[in-house]
Amino acid sequence: MARRPKSSQALALRCRIVLACADEERTNGDIAAELSVTPATVGKWRKRFAANRLDGLHDEPRPGVPRSITDDDVERVIVKTLEETPTDATHWSTRSMAKYT
């Protein structure tokens, strides 16, 4: 995951942190200096990896109000935008798409 081109940069950095932690003699400060992050960041991802393995490296849900738009709604709008045109125009405007959906 650290080298895959499709991985997000944040996930790749977390993987590099965990891989650097494989050498048990290295401190959080050494790894932090090498990867240009803070020692607290190294400690956070080291602990989360130790507790949850690879699943611990993914983002946790953020606090606050849950999303009101589902992934299916987003997909439907994208497909409609790319595959159809409105009857009275050459392309969708934000207002015409909002009115339609």
Side-chain angles (χ1 to χ4, degrees):
M1 287 195 301
R3 293 186 188 182
R4 282 189 349 200
K6 298 277 182 177
S7 293
S8 72
Q9 291 300 306
L11 179 60
L13 175 62
R14 296 168 193 164
C15 291
R16 286 194 299 274
I17 290 170
V18 169
L19 289 171
C21 291
D23 181 4
E24 295 178 9
E25 295 177 4
R26 296 182 70 189
T27 65
N28 288 356
D30 294 339
I31 296 167
E34 177 186 326
L35 298 175
S36 301
V37 295
T38 66
T41 300
V42 175
K44 171 185 178 178
W45 294 111
R46 185 186 288 229
K47 283 185 214 167
R48 284 191 50 185
F49 180 77
N52 300 316
R53 309 312 288 169
L54 288 178
D55 289 337
L57 299 181
H58 294 285
D59 287 324
E60 292 180 345
R62 300 274 181 183
V65 178
R67 288 179 26 193
S68 61
I69 300 173
T70 66
D71 289 340
D72 292 336
D73 293 336
V74 172
E75 180 181 0
R76 189 172 32 120
V77 169
I78 291 172
V79 167
K80 184 144 205 74
T81 302
L82 296 175
E83 296 180 357
E84 298 179 26
T85 57
T87 56
D88 59 346
T90 59
H91 61 277
W92 291 101
S93 69
T94 52
R95 286 186 174 85
S96 63
M97 180 58 76
K99 185 177 180 182
Y100 181 82
T101 58

